[in-house]
Amino acid sequence: MERRRIRGLTVSFEAIPQALAGVLDLPFPEGYVSSIVYVSLYVSLTAVALSTLFSVPVAVAMGFSEFPGKRFVKSVINAGMGFPSVVVGLVVLFAVSNQGPLGPLELVFTTEAMIISQFVLATPPITAISLAAISGVRENVRDAARVLGGTRLDVALVVLKEARYGIATAILAGFGRAISEVGSVLIVGGNITSADGVSKTRTLTTAIQLEARQGQYGTAMALGAVLVALVLAVNAIVVRFGDQGVRR
Amino acid sequence: MLRAVGVSQSRGEEAVFRDLSVGVDAGEVLAVIGPSGVGKTTLLRTLALSLEPEDGRVAFDGTDAWKADDSERLSLRRRTGMVFQEASLFDASVARNVEYGLRVRRSWRDRLRDELRSIAGSKKHPHAVRESLEVVGLTGKTGQHAGSLSGGEAQRLSFARALAYDPDVLLLDEPTSDLDPRNTAVIEDAIAEARDRDIGVVVATHDMHQAERIADRVAVLLGKHIAEVGPTGSVFENPRDERTRKFISGELVY
Ligand SMILES: Nc1ncnc2c1ncn2[C@@H]1O[C@H](COP(=O)(O)OP(=O)(O)OP(=O)(O)O)[C@@H](O)[C@H]1O
Ligand SMILES: [Mg+2]
């Protein structure tokens, strides 16, 4: 069921470059674009989902406690938002390489390695923006939740609910960074297709840079259009989802 | 029933009050009056077990709340309700705000079942929710979003939210300071209703006429201490303390 739905989604994305292909006369191998979209979405969504499960609890814990060095940790996370993705890719590549600590898992040039590097890239924005949203919840609302009889967990749930739009923004920012990123996925994934031209570790971004380098500007543009459509679609879904909670 | 005994609090370097004792019994209204910044809010939060006193103790029916373990303190805290000076409503419907106190007292299983029912649209509001909204005259606004209420309605909702789970003590921090006469009357009637239900009510206010109207006893908080505490009539007509007299007559301006 789930698979079929993803299929349906990617098949419809095939339509955009195919329509353009008609105009620009670009031959795409069968299933090429679908497989690229699939790899892009699979890697980015998995990394963002895992990062959210990690980042939001960290942001809650940080928002609720005072400890020495908190400001330092915050500035490290903030700096992480601007961390060069190529360097992250390099470090992850080393980690999964034969000499690295994750070497035995044989993850070089796999989607798993790409997920690891996207996780590292998405975590700082998701944590930092969630933390800002959580810190922005009025002290009074927290107090009210506690004084009205809430346990620590109840208070945390209230704060999460109050900060939900900010947290949704954080997740979108993380997704935006992951899906549109080239450097690290190129390094750890290797931009590979199998013999029949179906993507193994090729994402929209790495495909675009490859096509552009080969002078296939039309193809690159078409893939760029798919990427933009994808980002807009995911944003629209999240915004739509968020609006359902509001009955003002 | 709820007493602070010899409590001290400070904010930053400066002491707010020292060695202060005050208490409230079931079915009485105690007004805490005093100039702005004297520590009324700090005192109420101390009584609400939301702020731990630096010195002294807060006792509920003789149990020292800060010597008790976490779960016992939680159950003591659950016997009080508080209305805050500033807006503190949750970003949710009027009904969900009022129900909050009831919800956190339920088991996780019941809460989950309730959430599912409310998603399915087959959830009924508990009787206590409708009853509290009735006390403050907000029954017509049950489904509205709390953020869309007027200032007066928001303050009334805040009161209903604290009343819904039938606390033993209600702590009201200047509940009518920004309100027009009609909203003020609604809140004052609700305070009388709470007293009739045998709830002990502590109201911080800087409106001395209000204190005269609603309080059984008055505590005057001046210069880090309770300058005077006693039955409303005698404090206002016949203050024993010189500064109280000046404060009440308006000569003492901070
Ligand atoms: N979170 C805080 N951090 C630092 N100082 C604080 C804090 N809250 C209160 N204070 C200080 O503690 C003192 C007492 O404040 P409190 O709010 O209890 O006064 P109040 O009597 O309620 O005043 P008002 O009538 O204006 O509400 C004030 O001097 C205030 O500046
Ligand atoms: Mg105050």
Side-chain angles (χ1 to χ4, degrees):
Chain A
M1 186 68 204
E2 202 57 43
R3 276 193 81 89
R4 216 178 297 155
R5 214 186 292 153
I6 289 170
R7 269 264 169 83
L9 190 68
T10 53
V11 165
S12 62
F13 276 111
E14 193 90 351
I16 299 172
Q18 262 164 11
L20 287 169
V23 181
L24 301 166
D25 192 24
L26 306 167
F28 282 112
E30 183 71 28
Y32 178 63
V33 176
S34 313
S35 65
I36 292 176
V37 169
Y38 176 78
V39 170
S40 284
L41 275 180
Y42 169 70
V43 168
S44 299
L45 289 177
T46 308
V48 167
L50 293 175
S51 174
T52 301
L53 290 178
F54 171 80
S55 304
V56 173
V58 167
V60 170
M62 281 184 67
F64 274 72
S65 57
E66 290 303 326
F67 53 90
K70 180 173 171 178
R71 279 178 54 176
F72 176 74
V73 175
K74 263 187 177 174
S75 54
V76 168
I77 295 169
N78 285 335
M81 286 202 281
F83 210 68
S85 59
V86 230
V87 177
V88 171
L90 211 56
V91 172
V92 172
L93 182 64
F94 171 75
V96 299
S97 72
N98 279 336
Q99 305 103 292
L102 302 177
L105 300 175
E106 300 188 344
L107 297 178
V108 179
F109 299 155
T110 61
T111 48
E112 284 75 18
M114 293 158 79
I115 289 170
I116 294 173
S117 76
Q118 301 286 54
F119 175 92
V120 174
L121 286 170
T123 293
I126 297 181
T127 309
I129 299 171
S130 298
L131 180 57
I134 286 165
S135 312
V137 174
R138 278 167 299 146
E139 189 75 34
N140 268 329
V141 174
R142 280 187 200 198
D143 276 353
R146 213 160 87 95
V147 169
L148 294 168
T151 59
R152 277 162 161 274
L153 180 59
D154 291 318
V155 177
L157 289 175
V158 164
V159 169
L160 277 181
K161 211 176 159 206
E162 297 282 317
R164 63 190 181 276
Y165 299 111
I167 291 171
T169 305
I171 295 169
L172 280 181
F175 177 74
R177 183 155 202 214
I179 192 97
S180 58
E181 191 278 324
V182 199
S184 79
V185 284
L186 190 59
I187 293 179
V188 303
N191 198 16
I192 299 171
T193 54
S194 60
D196 54 358
V198 169
S199 165
K200 270 187 162 161
T201 62
R202 181 166 299 175
T203 63
L204 281 162
T205 53
T206 55
I208 289 168
Q209 73 87 33
L210 182 69
E211 299 293 346
R213 212 179 54 199
Q214 293 174 346
Q216 304 284 348
Y217 300 120
T219 317
M221 294 277 212
L223 291 172
V226 176
L227 179 56
V228 171
L230 210 62
V231 171
L232 291 179
V234 168
N235 275 274
I237 289 168
V238 172
V239 169
R240 185 66 210 281
F241 219 49
D243 279 350
Q244 283 181 346
V246 203
R247 287 188 208 97
R248 281 180 195 264
Chain B
M1 177 172 42
L2 177 61
R3 333 196 54 83
V5 183
V7 294
S8 303
Q9 291 285 19
S10 51
R11 288 306 185 98
E13 296 285 281
E14 222 192 315
V16 178
F17 48 73
R18 272 196 203 298
D19 196 18
L20 180 153
S21 298
V22 70
V24 65
D25 287 320
E28 75 158 351
V29 176
L30 171 77
V32 176
I33 63 172
S36 179
V38 76
K40 301 183 294 295
T41 298
T42 308
L43 175 60
L44 258 57
R45 288 175 41 126
T46 307
L47 287 170
L49 306 180
S50 151
L51 215 57
E52 185 172 1
E54 281 151 27
D55 211 354
R57 59 198 176 87
V58 181
F60 223 127
D61 289 334
T63 309
D64 184 340
W66 293 98
K67 287 240 169 68
D69 59 23
D70 281 1
S71 73
E72 196 175 356
R73 186 160 48 251
L74 177 66
S75 57
L76 293 177
R77 185 180 289 133
R78 285 182 169 181
R79 294 174 57 187
T80 66
M82 181 156 176
V83 173
F84 292 80
Q85 192 171 357
E86 293 99 15
S88 64
L89 294 171
F90 304 128
D91 181 8
S93 72
V94 166
R96 273 191 82 84
N97 265 278
V98 178
E99 215 193 325
Y100 182 81
L102 298 169
R103 201 158 55 233
V104 296
R105 285 163 175 76
R106 271 188 224 124
S107 73
W108 285 100
R109 237 183 82 190
D110 290 352
R111 287 168 73 173
L112 189 65
R113 203 179 48 204
D114 255 29
E115 291 299 329
L116 294 177
R117 275 199 192 139
S118 94
I119 290 167
S122 66
K123 182 175 171 342
K124 286 207 193 83
H125 299 302
H127 183 62
V129 169
R130 267 177 298 134
E131 207 179 48
S132 313
L133 285 172
E134 232 163 72
V135 171
V136 297
L138 280 181
T139 35
K141 307 266 178 185
T142 314
Q144 201 168 318
H145 193 275
S148 66
L149 295 178
S150 75
E153 288 165 347
Q155 201 62 1
R156 280 149 60 194
L157 172 57
S158 198
F159 192 104
R161 184 175 67 169
L163 189 67
Y165 50 89
D166 196 21
D168 293 335
V169 176
L170 264 179
L171 304 162
L172 313 174
D173 196 359
E174 304 195 20
T176 62
S177 56
D178 304 323
L179 302 188
D180 70 338
R182 199 183 71 84
N183 279 306
T184 302
V186 172
I187 297 272
E188 288 182 3
D189 287 349
I191 292 171
E193 165 79 26
R195 177 177 40 193
D196 290 347
R197 293 186 188 180
D198 224 24
I199 297 174
V201 183
V202 183
V203 195
T205 178
H206 52 226
D207 178 350
M208 280 177 269
H209 298 295
Q210 177 171 63
E212 265 188 296
R213 279 196 302 274
I214 62 172
D216 301 304
R217 285 194 305 136
V218 175
V220 186
L221 189 52
L222 279 174
K224 306 193 196 307
H225 298 281
I226 299 273
E228 181 153 357
V229 58
T232 308
S234 71
V235 170
F236 280 109
E237 278 144 39
N238 207 354
R240 280 172 294 143
D241 185 88
E242 182 60 14
R243 284 175 313 159
T244 307
R245 193 189 62 70
K246 283 187 172 167
F247 176 67
I248 289 169
S249 65
E251 282 174 51
L252 189 75
V253 180
Y254 270 71

